[in-house]
Amino acid sequence: MTTVTLAQEAASVPPPKPSPIRVVGGAAVVPAKHADQAEAVDLANSPYSTPELDRILKPDSNKEKKPFMQIRILQGLQSQTAKGSTHALKAQRRLLGRMNEYFKSLDPVYWSDHRNIRAAVLLLLSGGHPSVGHHLLSLGLPVEADMTMMQGALDYIEGRKEDAYANLTSFEPLDLEPSLGGQIALVQAVLYLPHDLKNALVAIDKARLLMPGSLIEEAALRRGVSIAAALNQPDLFQTYALQYIRHYRSSIYNEDFRRRFGLAMRHFSDNRSEETFDYLDGAITEFDMDTRREFYLLLAYSSLVEGNLDLTQKAARSALPLSMDNTPDRSRARLYLAGSILKADRLDIALKHLWAVKRDLLTQRDQALAEQVSETLNNIRHWPQSGPDSRSFISHKALVKPENEDWDEGTISEAHLELEASDQLLTFADKPMQGGAR
């Protein structure tokens, strides 16, 4: 599959069409041919607890019985959850339960419309019950392509990943209507993981392209940060993170994004590129102060463990001014900073940070790390410089061979005996140390 960049895809998107809904005198005026679209929009933005929602849960008119109309309401509610509406989340749960039963009770004639079959696929991939898929497959509907998609959706939600991969990755999301294509692209991204990261990334961008501003894009961005980190691309990681923070900061799934963000940063702890911290810092600075401090400390610790001292030092220095005196975070920042300065000419600076660490405030993990940092720093010494007197040993005169080569044989033999006795004593003294702790 050819890799399509986000910029290339975005350039091919035509400008949005103007909305058919106009406001006149405070009331919405909708052309008749756009009435279905307007109803979906109105219901998606309703208070979710009044007769509008009850009416869609218990449809009376023929128009309201169409599954593809109901799926629009569901997607409207999902878009509101991406903006942080807990009321929309509650209404979505109610709607899903009613739609599960309603889809199974419909006359088979409704499923001759492929829009309704695809609406059922969307229902399954949006949290619908598997029984809906089993019911529709049992009807033997004569639409092979849509039934393959239905079977793939059922395989996916029931955990048969290999079967879902075979059935769903054969579809090109860009050839489908945007609402369905975006959902299929998101599922494809999950199916490509963890072995095919490049195609997973392409699928993520297709989902974003097809469903901007929706829960599909929100979920794609959350997964995108993890994929970019797995590919060790800090620039792409920053792009996805900034898009999410700036557009979906209020999403009800924001905590999941923060969790993924923190886990993803660990992938960069062994990245020695000078630009890595700049990319990560560009995303971290978008968070509140407490979250920034948490992420800087996480990055500093994981980088120190990997031996990436440059990244450790930059992250620890960023965390230091965000922490208060006599707090665990301040001691952690100083500890990581001391561990990142392993140079003889800066030993005094490293020791200054290490001595400021309050070890009783550290966790057991960091206390063990502090012991290792202390031992390492204490073993660092300045390389000795040669003094002026040492030069006298450089030049020397060659010894003249004595006339009598046996002139001091006795003395040399005695010296050999003394050396052998010394070796035996040293060997004996070293035996207990070899068997126990030094």
Side-chain angles (χ1 to χ4, degrees):
M1 182 180 293
T2 303
T3 302
V4 181
T5 65
L6 188 59
Q8 290 172 334
E9 290 183 340
S12 65
V13 180
K17 297 179 180 179
S19 171
I21 304 173
R22 296 181 293 106
V23 177
V24 178
V29 178
V30 186
K33 65 177 181 178
H34 296 293
D36 290 353
Q37 175 184 343
E39 181 182 34
V41 173
D42 291 342
L43 288 174
N45 293 281
S46 71
Y48 314 117
S49 59
T50 52
E52 286 86 354
L53 183 58
D54 292 333
R55 178 170 60 81
I56 200 63
L57 292 173
K58 297 180 179 180
D60 294 323
S61 69
N62 184 59
K63 178 182 65 177
E64 293 166 356
K65 291 181 180 180
K66 297 177 181 178
F68 74 86
M69 279 298 300
Q70 292 198 11
I71 207 68
R72 291 181 186 177
I73 309 302
L74 178 62
Q75 290 176 325
L77 294 175
Q78 290 175 334
S79 295
Q80 295 300 313
T81 63
K83 298 176 182 177
S85 173
T86 55
H87 296 291
L89 180 62
K90 294 177 181 178
Q92 176 186 326
R93 291 170 179 169
R94 291 176 58 198
L95 183 59
L96 277 172
R98 296 292 183 89
M99 288 175 69
N100 287 331
E101 299 303 319
Y102 182 69
F103 276 36
K104 290 188 292 184
S105 67
L106 281 175
D107 189 290
V109 70
Y110 280 95
W111 303 114
S112 60
D113 188 339
H114 76 95
R115 293 177 299 175
N116 291 335
I117 297 177
R118 295 188 172 190
V121 173
L122 282 170
L123 176 65
L124 291 177
L125 297 178
S126 300
H129 198 277
S131 60
V132 175
H134 287 294
H135 170 71
L136 294 179
L137 288 173
S138 68
L139 297 178
L141 300 173
V143 190
E144 183 177 351
D146 290 339
M147 287 298 99
T148 300
M149 194 180 300
M150 177 74 70
Q151 182 63 61
L154 193 58
D155 293 332
Y156 177 74
I157 64 175
E158 290 186 333
R160 295 185 295 274
K161 188 173 181 179
E162 292 183 0
D163 294 335
Y165 183 95
N167 285 318
L168 292 181
T169 57
S170 60
F171 291 94
E172 171 51 65
L174 299 179
D175 293 338
L176 304 171
E177 55 267 32
S179 59
L180 180 61
Q183 183 72 71
I184 293 296
L186 183 61
V187 172
Q188 287 178 349
V190 177
L191 294 174
Y192 285 130
L193 295 174
H195 305 296
D196 193 349
L197 294 175
K198 292 185 177 180
N199 275 330
L201 201 60
V202 172
I204 285 293
D205 283 347
K206 288 179 180 179
R208 296 181 55 212
L209 175 68
L210 290 168
M211 292 292 285
S214 68
L215 187 63
I216 297 298
E217 184 185 34
E218 189 269 355
L221 288 171
R222 274 189 285 126
R223 287 162 175 78
V225 295
S226 300
I227 298 174
L231 288 169
N232 209 355
Q233 296 185 21
D235 53 340
L236 189 59
F237 175 84
Q238 183 199 61
T239 299
Y240 286 142
L242 290 179
Q243 288 287 325
Y244 187 94
I245 296 169
R246 294 173 180 176
H247 294 92
Y248 299 102
R249 187 188 299 269
S250 300
S251 170
I252 61 174
Y253 302 107
N254 186 49
E255 285 302 317
D256 180 65
F257 167 74
R258 288 173 178 245
R259 179 185 64 83
R260 289 175 180 269
F261 187 95
L263 292 174
M265 279 203 310
R266 298 174 186 269
H267 288 275
F268 300 110
S269 57
D270 62 347
N271 189 319
R272 262 68 175 180
S273 172
E274 295 182 359
E275 298 177 340
T276 298
F277 180 77
D278 294 333
Y279 284 122
L280 299 181
D281 186 54
I284 294 175
T285 52
E286 294 287 326
F287 292 94
D288 59 90
M289 186 180 71
D290 291 338
T291 304
R292 293 203 306 272
R293 181 177 64 251
E294 177 186 346
F295 284 148
Y296 284 134
L297 291 172
L298 174 64
L299 180 61
Y301 173 78
S302 59
S303 301
L304 182 58
V305 171
E306 292 292 335
N308 191 344
L309 302 186
D310 181 63
L311 190 57
T312 300
Q313 188 170 147
K314 290 177 179 178
R317 287 192 183 281
S318 298
L320 196 59
L322 299 177
S323 58
M324 299 178 63
D325 289 332
N326 301 317
T327 61
D329 288 342
R330 172 61 66 91
S331 289
R332 290 176 63 198
R334 289 196 177 277
L335 171 61
Y336 303 152
L337 195 53
S340 69
I341 306 175
L342 298 179
K343 295 182 178 179
D345 59 347
R346 302 186 65 193
L347 182 61
D348 55 337
I349 300 176
L351 291 175
K352 179 181 178 181
H353 286 296
L354 183 62
W355 291 335
V357 173
K358 299 183 182 300
R359 300 197 184 189
D360 56 325
L361 298 179
L362 299 176
T363 62
Q364 186 175 0
R365 180 200 69 180
D366 284 330
Q367 286 179 0
L369 180 61
E371 290 295 330
Q372 295 175 357
V373 171
S374 299
E375 183 178 355
T376 302
L377 292 177
N378 287 332
N379 287 333
I380 293 179
R381 295 291 184 269
H382 291 282
W383 189 260
Q385 300 296 321
S386 299
D389 294 338
S390 63
R391 297 177 183 176
S392 60
F393 296 96
I394 297 175
S395 59
H396 59 274
K397 296 180 180 180
L399 294 176
V400 180
K401 184 176 181 181
E403 295 180 3
N404 182 6
E405 297 183 2
D406 298 331
W407 66 279
D408 204 8
E409 184 176 353
T411 303
I412 295 176
S413 300
E414 186 178 350
H416 278 299
L417 292 175
E418 292 295 334
L419 288 172
E420 290 177 359
S422 298
D423 287 340
Q424 292 178 359
L425 288 174
L426 290 173
T427 302
F428 175 78
D430 194 44
K431 285 182 178 179
M433 299 179 71
Q434 293 176 349
R438 293 182 181 270

